[in-house]
């Protein structure tokens, strides 16, 4: 029985306003997928960029070295190519270049077929007052939940 792998980037939802979401495959080596299955990955500081040929790469994603990898191990912070359809890539590239948006990873997971997938989002950076609004809403929801719990 395989445990569920679900590595999230909670900071991205606070820092950015999510516009559109995509599910992308990741091109990995053998030791990288083994480390991900052991939940030894972090996507909090990572972001996505296009290269000269129009391919999308995730940059600054940390995947810890596999403990039994020896000389065949991978680099922890190397660039990893994301696998999307051409239509999706063209649409993302157009949106990033024209409107000043960015692409951030939200969630790293393993699907039912055993492949590592990365949920990415087209996002726009929040201003300081938007972040304060988010904090205020979160506190109000928490207080309301406490009040409801006490009246039951």
């Amino acid at each position: 029985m395989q445990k569920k792998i679900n590595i999230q980037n909670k900071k991205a939802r606070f820092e950015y306003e999510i516009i559109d979401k995509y599910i992308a495959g990741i091109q990995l080596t053998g030791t990288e997928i083994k480390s991900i299955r052991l939940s030894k990955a972090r996507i909090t500081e990572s972001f996505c960029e296009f290269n000269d040929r129009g391919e999308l790469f995730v940059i600054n994603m940390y995947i810890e070295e596999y403990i039994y990898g020896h000389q065949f191990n991978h680099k922890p912070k190397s660039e990893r190519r994301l696998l999307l359809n051409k239509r999706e890539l063209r649409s993302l590239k157009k949106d990033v270049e024209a409107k000043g948006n960015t692409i951030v990873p939200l969630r790293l997971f393993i699907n039912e077929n055993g492949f590592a997938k990365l949920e990415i989002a087209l996002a726009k950076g929040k201003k300081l007052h938007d972040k304060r609004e988010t904090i205020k809403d979160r506190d109000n929801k928490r207080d309301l939940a406490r009040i409801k719990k006490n009246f039951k």
Side-chain angles (χ1 to χ4, degrees), residues 9 16 28-29 31 33 35 51 54 63 76 80 100 107 114 119 130 136 139 146:
N9 186 0
Y16 298 98
L28 297 171
T29 62
T31 56
I33 189 67
S35 290
N51 68 355
I63 299 177
R80 292 163 181 94
R107 185 169 68 111
E119 182 179 6
D130 292 333
K136 191 188 311 180
D139 289 344
R146 282 185 194 146

CSV table of all heavy atoms in Angstrom, one decimal, residues 9 16 28-29 31 33 35 51 54 63 76 80 100 107 114 119 130 136 139 146:
chain,number,residue,atom,x,y,z
A,9,ASN,N,2.5,24.1,-1.6
A,9,ASN,CA,3.1,25.4,-1.5
A,9,ASN,C,2.1,26.4,-0.9
A,9,ASN,O,1.4,27.1,-1.7
A,9,ASN,CB,3.7,25.9,-2.8
A,9,ASN,CG,4.5,27.1,-2.8
A,9,ASN,OD1,4.7,27.7,-1.7
A,9,ASN,ND2,5.0,27.6,-3.9
A,16,TYR,N,0.3,35.3,-4.0
A,16,TYR,CA,-0.2,35.5,-5.3
A,16,TYR,C,-1.7,35.3,-5.4
A,16,TYR,O,-2.3,34.5,-4.7
A,16,TYR,CB,0.4,34.5,-6.3
A,16,TYR,CG,1.9,34.6,-6.4
A,16,TYR,CD1,2.7,33.8,-5.7
A,16,TYR,CD2,2.5,35.6,-7.2
A,16,TYR,CE1,4.1,33.9,-5.8
A,16,TYR,CE2,3.9,35.7,-7.3
A,16,TYR,CZ,4.7,34.9,-6.6
A,16,TYR,OH,6.0,35.0,-6.7
A,28,LEU,N,11.8,13.5,-14.7
A,28,LEU,CA,12.7,13.2,-13.6
A,28,LEU,C,13.6,12.0,-13.9
A,28,LEU,O,13.4,11.3,-14.8
A,28,LEU,CB,11.8,12.9,-12.3
A,28,LEU,CG,10.9,13.9,-11.8
A,28,LEU,CD1,10.0,13.3,-10.8
A,28,LEU,CD2,11.7,15.1,-11.2
A,29,THR,N,14.7,11.9,-13.1
A,29,THR,CA,15.5,10.7,-13.1
A,29,THR,C,15.1,9.7,-12.1
A,29,THR,O,14.2,10.1,-11.3
A,29,THR,CB,17.0,11.1,-12.9
A,29,THR,OG1,17.1,11.7,-11.5
A,29,THR,CG2,17.5,12.1,-13.9
A,31,THR,N,16.5,8.5,-9.3
A,31,THR,CA,16.7,8.8,-7.9
A,31,THR,C,15.8,10.0,-7.4
A,31,THR,O,15.4,10.1,-6.2
A,31,THR,CB,18.2,9.2,-7.6
A,31,THR,OG1,18.6,10.3,-8.4
A,31,THR,CG2,19.0,8.0,-7.8
A,33,ILE,N,12.6,10.6,-8.4
A,33,ILE,CA,11.2,10.0,-8.1
A,33,ILE,C,11.2,9.2,-6.8
A,33,ILE,O,10.3,9.3,-6.1
A,33,ILE,CB,10.7,9.2,-9.3
A,33,ILE,CG1,9.2,8.9,-9.1
A,33,ILE,CG2,11.4,8.0,-9.6
A,33,ILE,CD1,8.3,10.0,-9.1
A,35,SER,N,13.1,9.9,-4.2
A,35,SER,CA,13.1,10.9,-3.1
A,35,SER,C,11.7,11.5,-2.9
A,35,SER,O,11.3,11.7,-1.8
A,35,SER,CB,14.1,11.9,-3.4
A,35,SER,OG,15.4,11.4,-3.2
A,51,ASN,N,12.3,28.7,-21.4
A,51,ASN,CA,13.7,28.9,-22.0
A,51,ASN,C,13.6,29.4,-23.4
A,51,ASN,O,12.5,29.8,-23.9
A,51,ASN,CB,14.5,27.6,-21.9
A,51,ASN,CG,13.9,26.5,-22.9
A,51,ASN,OD1,12.9,26.7,-23.5
A,51,ASN,ND2,14.6,25.4,-22.9
A,54,GLY,N,11.1,27.7,-25.9
A,54,GLY,CA,9.7,27.6,-25.5
A,54,GLY,C,9.3,26.5,-24.6
A,54,GLY,O,8.1,26.2,-24.4
A,63,ILE,N,14.8,18.8,-4.3
A,63,ILE,CA,14.5,17.3,-4.1
A,63,ILE,C,15.8,16.8,-3.5
A,63,ILE,O,16.8,16.8,-4.1
A,63,ILE,CB,14.2,16.6,-5.4
A,63,ILE,CG1,13.0,17.2,-6.1
A,63,ILE,CG2,14.0,15.1,-5.2
A,63,ILE,CD1,12.6,16.6,-7.4
A,76,PRO,N,20.4,18.4,-6.1
A,76,PRO,CA,19.1,18.7,-5.4
A,76,PRO,C,18.3,19.9,-6.0
A,76,PRO,O,17.1,19.9,-6.0
A,76,PRO,CB,19.6,19.1,-4.0
A,76,PRO,CG,20.9,18.4,-3.8
A,76,PRO,CD,21.5,18.4,-5.2
A,80,ARG,N,14.1,21.4,-13.8
A,80,ARG,CA,13.4,20.2,-14.2
A,80,ARG,C,12.3,20.6,-15.2
A,80,ARG,O,11.6,21.5,-15.0
A,80,ARG,CB,12.8,19.5,-13.1
A,80,ARG,CG,13.9,18.8,-12.2
A,80,ARG,CD,13.4,18.5,-10.8
A,80,ARG,NE,14.5,17.9,-10.0
A,80,ARG,CZ,15.2,18.6,-9.2
A,80,ARG,NH1,15.0,19.9,-9.1
A,80,ARG,NH2,16.2,18.1,-8.5
A,100,GLY,N,2.5,40.4,-17.5
A,100,GLY,CA,3.3,40.5,-16.3
A,100,GLY,C,3.0,39.5,-15.2
A,100,GLY,O,3.3,39.8,-14.1
A,107,ARG,N,1.3,22.5,-6.0
A,107,ARG,CA,1.2,21.2,-5.3
A,107,ARG,C,2.0,20.2,-6.1
A,107,ARG,O,2.0,20.2,-7.3
A,107,ARG,CB,-0.2,20.8,-5.2
A,107,ARG,CG,-0.5,19.5,-4.5
A,107,ARG,CD,-2.0,19.4,-4.3
A,107,ARG,NE,-2.7,19.2,-5.5
A,107,ARG,CZ,-3.4,18.1,-5.8
A,107,ARG,NH1,-3.3,17.1,-5.0
A,107,ARG,NH2,-4.0,18.0,-7.0
A,114,GLY,N,1.2,6.4,-10.7
A,114,GLY,CA,2.6,6.4,-10.1
A,114,GLY,C,3.5,7.5,-10.7
A,114,GLY,O,4.7,7.5,-10.5
A,119,GLU,N,1.1,20.6,-9.9
A,119,GLU,CA,0.0,21.5,-10.2
A,119,GLU,C,0.6,23.0,-10.2
A,119,GLU,O,1.1,23.4,-9.2
A,119,GLU,CB,-1.1,21.4,-9.1
A,119,GLU,CG,-2.3,22.3,-9.4
A,119,GLU,CD,-3.4,22.2,-8.4
A,119,GLU,OE1,-3.2,21.4,-7.4
A,119,GLU,OE2,-4.4,22.8,-8.6
A,130,ASP,N,-3.8,43.8,-0.1
A,130,ASP,CA,-4.5,42.5,-0.4
A,130,ASP,C,-4.1,41.4,0.6
A,130,ASP,O,-4.9,40.6,1.0
A,130,ASP,CB,-4.2,42.1,-1.8
A,130,ASP,CG,-4.8,43.0,-2.9
A,130,ASP,OD1,-5.8,43.6,-2.6
A,130,ASP,OD2,-4.2,43.0,-4.0
A,136,LYS,N,-7.1,39.2,7.4
A,136,LYS,CA,-8.3,39.6,8.2
A,136,LYS,C,-9.4,38.6,7.9
A,136,LYS,O,-10.2,38.2,8.8
A,136,LYS,CB,-8.7,41.0,7.7
A,136,LYS,CG,-9.8,41.6,8.6
A,136,LYS,CD,-10.4,42.9,8.0
A,136,LYS,CE,-9.4,43.9,7.6
A,136,LYS,NZ,-10.0,45.1,7.1
A,139,ASP,N,-8.8,35.3,9.8
A,139,ASP,CA,-9.1,35.5,11.3
A,139,ASP,C,-10.6,35.5,11.5
A,139,ASP,O,-11.1,34.9,12.5
A,139,ASP,CB,-8.4,36.7,11.8
A,139,ASP,CG,-6.9,36.6,11.9
A,139,ASP,OD1,-6.4,35.5,11.8
A,139,ASP,OD2,-6.3,37.7,12.0
A,146,ARG,N,-15.3,29.2,15.8
A,146,ARG,CA,-15.2,29.0,17.2
A,146,ARG,C,-16.6,29.3,17.8
A,146,ARG,O,-17.1,28.6,18.7
A,146,ARG,CB,-14.2,29.9,17.8
A,146,ARG,CG,-12.8,29.4,17.7
A,146,ARG,CD,-11.8,30.3,18.5
A,146,ARG,NE,-10.5,30.1,18.1
A,146,ARG,CZ,-9.5,30.9,18.0
A,146,ARG,NH1,-9.7,32.2,18.3
A,146,ARG,NH2,-8.3,30.6,17.6
